[in-house]
Amino acid sequence: MIEKRQFYINGEWVAPLAPRDHDVIDPSTEEACAIISLGTSADVDVAVKAAKDALPAWRATPPAERIAYVERLLEVYKARQQEMAEAISLEMGAPIDLAFAAQAGAGISHITNCLTAAKSFEWLHPLGDGTPGAMIGYQPIGVVGLITPWNWPMNQVTLKVAPALVAGCTMVLKPSEEAPLSSMLFAEFVHEAGIPAGVFNLVNGDGMGVGTALSGHVDIEMISFTGSTRAGRAISKNAAETLKRVALELGGKGANLVFADADDKAVERGVKHMFNNSGQSCNAPSRMLVERAIYPQALEIAKKVAEETKVGNPREHGKHIGPVINKSQYDKIQGLIEKGIAEGATLLAGGPGLPEGVNRGYYVRPTVFADCTPDMSIMNEEIFGPVLSIMPFDTEEEAVKVANDTEYGLTNYAQTQDPERLRRMAMQLQAGMIELNGQSRGAGSPFGGIKASGRAREGGRWGIEEFCDVIAISGYAAE
Ligand code: NAD
């Protein structure tokens, strides 16, 4: 049993002030794999004080030096990627190959992209022609609180920590209590990279305790949060009193429009994308809208892909999917599968209960529903499991309307060979990200949504700007 009860504060591992044990559950066995401690507002006060004390020196450190620290962090991260993959696989059940390449790998890409953006970031630049002496400056916002989820743990942590560091902020991270081991390892990386004490601090805890203490803290200027829409609302309300900036990355219910002229692989790609990470991705294309002319073939392909998707032990190599995170998510997913059946969708593959031959672990059968209608629960609620809902459509207008008619707006997808239609999709689909023909986001592009998906923009230049105050300067004497 791994015992990791300490917090990383002011450059060292310290004991919690009022220790409260919390089991981290391995979702493949349903058994505790580690014990951590949940902090209190008193621990948060200590961590925030450390961050506040470290702020003047860190913000005065020239950007090039801050960048050099993050470069060292990247080197340590790369050297210890395997350890990171093992921690992620253990705490949240991603199969080890996915955990290494995609989960731990995401951290490497985000830090790399952040460094690229940071190197060309103009911290002070002229406003423009006709405004002599007018300058725009970017100053660090100050002490920031970072609150992250369990589903892509390092993806989220690095999308926040790297830009906050280069921007000159100091920080307190509260990772998900479901998946804290990867973040504790990340804190070791920060330490090994020699980042000055107090710049990065980590306090474990739950949402009600440490999360609330951070979002209401008088000395924190900004909360950067990734997680559920429910928690995003609670954080916004609690942060209002101290007028913090709140950057939210929340849930999603992505639509994937597959037109009759889509490439041969479009349906297969969409189903596999949905099942990736056991369906636990905020940007999963969970609603597949298929033009009626190819609907029967699409259903055949979707059924085949689902039936061929293997579910298995996260410790084993391979392309299988692992369990979902915990009992409550498992129960929620089962409930939604039952609801899909009760509301009249056609169960094409998978369904309720554990996969064949499995008797423990939170494993879900890769499930596909056909003949869905926009009013069904499975077309509206974020399921966060390997469950795909498919519906046919007759016209482009109808498909766009269904795609947009959701409270969420994180990522929408379209598959078509018609360049004019691609242009229309790019401008008519309403979401923070639109991915056409299976092309994923370019390196350094911003990740974020609209509406109930939150309006943060993380990654690349935009990710750095989020941690800055934009300052209008006049009367500046250029050299
Ligand atoms: P969650 O909202 O329950 O928890 C996320 C984090 O917030 C955890 O650290 C948790 O302890 C904390 N938290 C919970 N309630 C809080 C509160 N009242 N105040 C402060 N902190 C609080 O979400 P989860 O179950 O960990 O993650 C799944 C959700 O995250 C899904 O809805 C998913 O779509 C979303 N997500 C979004 C993105 C994105 O970038 N848009 C990325 C990944 C996950």
Side-chain angles (χ1 to χ4, degrees), residues 46-103:
V46 177
V48 172
K49 182 173 186 311
K52 197 178 170 188
D53 290 348
L55 184 64
W58 186 244
R59 65 175 288 159
T61 303
E65 275 179 47
R66 297 198 298 254
I67 288 170
Y69 278 112
V70 177
E71 281 174 332
R72 281 202 286 282
L73 175 63
L74 177 61
E75 287 319 306
V76 177
Y77 191 121
K78 280 181 178 167
R80 300 181 66 179
Q81 185 176 357
Q82 181 61 29
E83 272 176 82
M84 182 55 81
E86 285 164 15
I88 294 174
S89 177
L90 183 65
E91 67 189 3
M92 58 71 67
I96 190 67
D97 291 348
L98 179 84
F100 183 84
Q103 286 274 8

Side-chain angles (χ1 to χ4, degrees), residues 253-260 262 266-267 270 285-295 298-299 369 371-374 378-379 388-406 412-416 425 429:
K253 191 72 190 172
N256 183 6
L257 278 53
V258 184
F259 290 91
V267 173
S286 52
R287 298 177 292 155
M288 184 183 279
L289 313 182
V290 182
E291 194 164 1
R292 203 172 297 272
I294 57 159
Y295 189 61
L299 296 192
F369 282 108
D371 310 329
C372 298
T373 52
I378 53 171
M379 287 286 282
L388 174 66
S389 308
I390 310 185
M391 76 164 262
F393 70 83
D394 292 301
T395 65
E396 182 180 311
E397 292 68 30
E398 178 198 353
V400 170
K401 184 171 182 308
V402 173
N404 291 340
D405 192 11
T406 160
N412 281 327
Y413 303 79
Q415 323 296 328
T416 172
M425 292 303 106
L429 290 175

Side-chain angles (χ1 to χ4, degrees), residues 146-153 155-156 159-160 174-178 205-215 223 225-236 238 248-253 280-284 325-326 329 332 382 384 408 410 433 447-449 452-454 456 458:
L146 315 174
I147 304 178
T148 55
W150 48 262
N151 61 329
W152 285 91
N155 184 64
Q156 308 310 335
L159 267 175
K160 297 184 192 309
K174 188 204 88 60
S176 167
E177 63 277 31
E178 305 278 332
D206 56 21
M208 289 315 289
V210 172
T212 304
L214 286 170
S215 65
I223 294 286
F225 170 74
T226 301
S228 62
T229 301
R230 171 201 63 76
R233 286 199 177 98
I235 287 168
S236 299
N238 199 39
L248 302 174
E249 294 279 15
L250 310 175
K253 191 72 190 172
Q280 303 170 114
S281 301
C282 44
N283 59 352
I325 182 78
N326 58 26
Q329 272 300 119
K332 179 186 165 198
E382 189 186 43
F384 234 54
Y408 294 111
L410 192 59
M433 296 167 285
F447 189 104
S453 294
E458 296 192 309

Side-chain angles (χ1 to χ4, degrees), residues 7-158:
F7 304 148
Y8 184 75
I9 298 178
N10 210 16
E12 53 187 20
W13 291 96
V14 300
L17 294 173
R20 183 156 59 103
D21 279 357
H22 171 80
D23 286 345
V24 179
I25 306 293
D26 173 350
S28 69
T29 62
E30 306 181 23
E31 279 165 19
C33 60
I35 299 173
I36 61 159
S37 215
L38 299 181
T40 60
S41 59
D43 297 298
V44 171
D45 286 344
V46 177
V48 172
K49 182 173 186 311
K52 197 178 170 188
D53 290 348
L55 184 64
W58 186 244
R59 65 175 288 159
T61 303
E65 275 179 47
R66 297 198 298 254
I67 288 170
Y69 278 112
V70 177
E71 281 174 332
R72 281 202 286 282
L73 175 63
L74 177 61
E75 287 319 306
V76 177
Y77 191 121
K78 280 181 178 167
R80 300 181 66 179
Q81 185 176 357
Q82 181 61 29
E83 272 176 82
M84 182 55 81
E86 285 164 15
I88 294 174
S89 177
L90 183 65
E91 67 189 3
M92 58 71 67
I96 190 67
D97 291 348
L98 179 84
F100 183 84
Q103 286 274 8
I108 294 178
S109 334
H110 291 317
I111 300 175
T112 305
N113 294 337
C114 173
L115 284 167
T116 306
K119 284 173 190 163
S120 60
F121 198 89
E122 291 182 88
W123 303 94
L124 183 66
H125 64 80
L127 173 63
D129 291 345
T131 53
M135 302 291 286
I136 297 297
Y138 291 84
Q139 295 184 4
I141 190 164
V143 177
V144 296
L146 315 174
I147 304 178
T148 55
W150 48 262
N151 61 329
W152 285 91
M154 271 308 110
N155 184 64
Q156 308 310 335
V157 165
T158 54

